[in-house]
Amino acid sequence: MTAPPTVRRIWTSGLASLGSHPSIYLPFGRWRYGADLTFGPQTEIVIEGFPRSANSFAVNAFMLAQRRPVRVAHHLHAPAQVMAAARAGVPAVVLVRAPRDAIVSYLRWQPHVGVRQAARNYLSFYRSVAQHHEHFVAADFEQVTSDFGAVIRRVNARFGSAFVEFDHSEENVRLCFDAIERQSRAQRGDLLETVVARPSAERRALKAKAELEFTSNTPAATREALEAVYVEYQALTGG
């Protein structure tokens, strides 16, 4: 049975608060989400970002490109993952998307959160991670979805790693979206258009409502803060 929206909102807020504390969050992550997703001794790279920032595409593209299994910490959407990588000297990619686009997409996926909490979560994630900017490669949504091979190239240059670059061909992009669909079906038993991270007509149909909520319920000061954070990360991505 699905928990009431208020309970889910409190749960999401609590996770966001804990996400900046690796010593607390990472043990919880291993218990709740599994060792494969959570940073640990075997992790070779971290790929993390605010939800709906091409996380699924980036992880699947990275894995598709490699010629061997690589342990990737991903999809916890927690600064703790990036912080732990920075302290251990492990390569990390921080994914960033324009705040309006990311939050609107997030609200279609998790409408119970509400636009103000979603904005707070966005600011918390990127402000917490920013202090470690010398220890990760920042990648914009457009960079990830148009030339992820170049992102991997930047990782190799920054960390001296030898990960295989993704060939951003039409066929490989299709394979990534196919993998995303399979994962959604395996996790939930069916394909939910509000959950799976790939374009669809139904997702576009839901966009207008979330955009109206963002426009109507996000204070001007919050929008300015969101934009300031995004501009800071754009400088890190070279965008």
Side-chain angles (χ1 to χ4, degrees):
M1 184 175 66
T2 303
T6 300
V7 174
R8 296 169 67 193
R9 184 163 52 252
I10 293 171
W11 171 260
T12 303
S13 177
L15 289 183
S17 298
L18 290 177
S20 298
H21 303 280
S23 62
I24 300 174
Y25 191 87
L26 295 180
F28 166 80
R30 295 184 192 103
W31 168 76
R32 180 67 175 83
Y33 305 109
D36 288 346
L37 301 185
T38 309
F39 185 90
Q42 306 304 314
T43 299
E44 296 181 62
I45 186 171
V46 169
I47 301 177
E48 276 291 4
F50 185 79
R52 320 313 285 176
S53 299
N55 290 269
S56 294
F57 184 88
V59 171
N60 280 284
F62 179 86
M63 291 179 170
L64 180 66
Q66 306 315 302
R67 301 189 183 101
R68 62 175 181 85
V70 176
R71 181 65 68 86
V72 184
H74 61 96
H75 271 93
L76 268 60
H77 310 299
Q81 298 262 73
V82 182
M83 294 174 173
R87 293 171 184 172
V90 170
V93 178
V94 173
L95 308 171
V96 61
R97 186 179 185 182
R100 178 188 178 92
D101 295 339
I103 290 170
V104 165
S105 183
Y106 183 41
L107 292 174
R108 295 204 309 266
W109 173 48
Q110 299 281 8
H112 65 277
V113 174
V115 66
R116 296 197 180 205
Q117 182 63 53
R120 285 193 292 269
N121 292 354
Y122 185 103
L123 291 170
S124 176
F125 180 93
Y126 290 109
R127 285 172 172 170
S128 297
V129 169
Q131 60 188 305
H132 302 284
H133 67 90
E134 294 182 353
H135 301 283
F136 64 77
V137 164
D140 188 84
F141 183 88
E142 283 71 23
Q143 294 173 338
V144 172
T145 56
S146 65
D147 189 5
F148 190 63
V151 176
I152 299 177
R153 190 178 313 131
R154 290 167 55 208
V155 170
N156 290 337
R158 168 72 64 89
F159 296 99
S161 50
F163 298 121
V164 181
E165 295 179 17
F166 178 68
D167 177 9
H168 214 107
S169 66
E170 184 175 335
E171 174 63 14
N172 284 340
V173 169
R174 183 188 64 79
L175 290 172
C176 286
F177 282 128
D178 286 349
I180 291 168
E181 285 199 12
R182 289 196 302 272
Q183 291 157 9
S184 179
R185 292 182 188 278
Q187 291 169 3
R188 297 168 178 84
D190 198 0
L191 182 65
L192 300 179
E193 296 297 346
T194 56
V195 174
V196 66
R198 60 116 171 101
S200 76
E202 185 174 343
R203 282 162 57 82
R204 287 190 292 271
L206 294 170
K207 186 177 180 181
K209 180 180 179 181
E211 286 185 333
L212 179 61
E213 183 179 0
F214 181 89
T215 301
S216 302
N217 298 323
T218 307
T222 301
R223 291 198 298 270
E224 291 175 4
L226 290 167
E227 189 60 29
V229 166
Y230 182 58
V231 168
E232 178 182 353
Y233 275 83
Q234 281 291 90
L236 296 176
T237 66

